[in-house]
Amino acid sequence: ETGVTQTPRHLVMGMTNKKSLKCEQHLGHNAMYWYKQSAKKPLELMFVYNFKEQTENNSVPSRFSPECPNSSHLFLHLHTLQPEDSALYLCASSQGDSNTGELFFGEGSRLTVL
Amino acid sequence: GQNIDQPTEMTATEGAIVQINCTYQTSGFNGLFWYQQHAGEAPTFLSYNVLDGLEEKGRFSSFLSRSKGYSYLLLKELQMKDSASYLCAGMDSNYQLIWGAGTKLIIKP
């Protein structure tokens, strides 16, 4: 138990579907992140939020839309995805400024796009 | 460009010692992280080195040489539960984490 909870753990969707991934952290951290993890590839940082404000958007396609309503919750809205978007999506949180200090990860949402 | 290199897979025997190497090229340097990730689970923090030398934490130790752009994770008295992927990540001058692809460690009885 890392204090970061992600739902759903598994998701299968068609290319025309709309779905959302949810992340909640119970650690009192003020920074939250979305990462994409594909097999045998480095973690790819997608989005960073500090105190609910987006501070990083690493050229992510607009079919991925993040939302951070408060410092404990983070969503990733998905629409018209492509099969190459199939991956494990990891949420993480940290104390302090973005990308400093130890990251606490959730167990991820395994996404399959058909 | 920025890059982290680590072996894709390693195999070791229960009770033995294994060293997982990582070389990094980053724009500036603010430390080197190691994370452990069991299959289907969250990556968890193992160590952070920002100064040269060896940091020991129980059966796990992490070493850093900034002049060589090199780090290693040393695991002693290997246990079956140490079978996992080990992720190396360097932090650049903008405090961005640059990740390696991970080393899958297989422990055999």
Side-chain angles (χ1 to χ4, degrees), chain A residues 2 9 35 37 40-45 56 58 88 90 98-108, chain B residues 4 8-9 33 35 37 40-46 85 87 91 94-102:
Chain A
T2 63
R9 293 293 310 279
Y35 278 93
Q37 187 175 37
K40 299 184 179 179
K41 289 186 178 180
L43 286 175
E44 297 175 44
L45 180 63
E56 293 278 344
N58 282 357
L88 182 68
L90 290 166
S98 62
N99 277 325
T100 59
E102 176 185 346
L103 292 175
F104 291 77
F105 286 91
E107 294 186 319
Chain B
I4 301 287
T8 302
E9 187 173 299
F33 291 79
Y35 282 78
Q37 185 178 22
E41 297 184 13
T44 55
F45 171 83
L46 286 178
S85 288
L87 311 179
M91 183 173 281
N94 293 321
Y95 297 98
Q96 298 284 331
L97 280 173
I98 312 302
W99 293 86

Side-chain angles (χ1 to χ4, degrees), chain A residues 26-65:
Chain A
H26 311 277
L27 301 169
H29 291 165
N30 48 37
M32 295 187 76
Y33 313 76
W34 279 117
Y35 278 93
K36 177 183 179 181
Q37 187 175 37
S38 302
K40 299 184 179 179
K41 289 186 178 180
L43 286 175
E44 297 175 44
L45 180 63
M46 300 175 71
F47 301 104
V48 181
Y49 279 81
N50 259 303
F51 294 100
K52 304 185 297 177
E53 299 297 322
Q54 187 180 128
T55 57
E56 293 278 344
N57 177 340
N58 282 357
S59 303
V60 179
S62 59
R63 57 186 184 267
F64 295 91
S65 174

Side-chain angles (χ1 to χ4, degrees), chain B residues 10-87:
Chain B
M10 298 181 70
T11 302
T13 304
E14 189 177 15
I17 299 173
V18 71
Q19 177 175 311
I20 303 174
N21 296 325
C22 170
T23 57
Y24 64 88
Q25 290 178 303
T26 56
S27 301
F29 180 72
N30 277 303
L32 194 291
F33 291 79
W34 284 96
Y35 282 78
Q36 179 190 59
Q37 185 178 22
H38 286 101
E41 297 184 13
T44 55
F45 171 83
L46 286 178
S47 67
Y48 170 67
N49 294 65
V50 68
L51 300 176
D52 289 349
L54 188 68
E55 297 269 349
E56 297 187 66
K57 195 184 293 185
R59 293 188 300 114
F60 291 12
S61 302
S62 55
F63 172 83
L64 177 68
S65 168
R66 287 173 297 172
S67 62
K68 296 181 179 178
Y70 167 71
S71 173
Y72 67 73
L73 182 69
L74 190 72
L75 291 74
K76 302 177 184 176
E77 301 169 19
L78 286 170
Q79 302 175 10
M80 298 303 293
K81 67 178 182 179
D82 297 329
S83 292
S85 288
Y86 292 86
L87 311 179

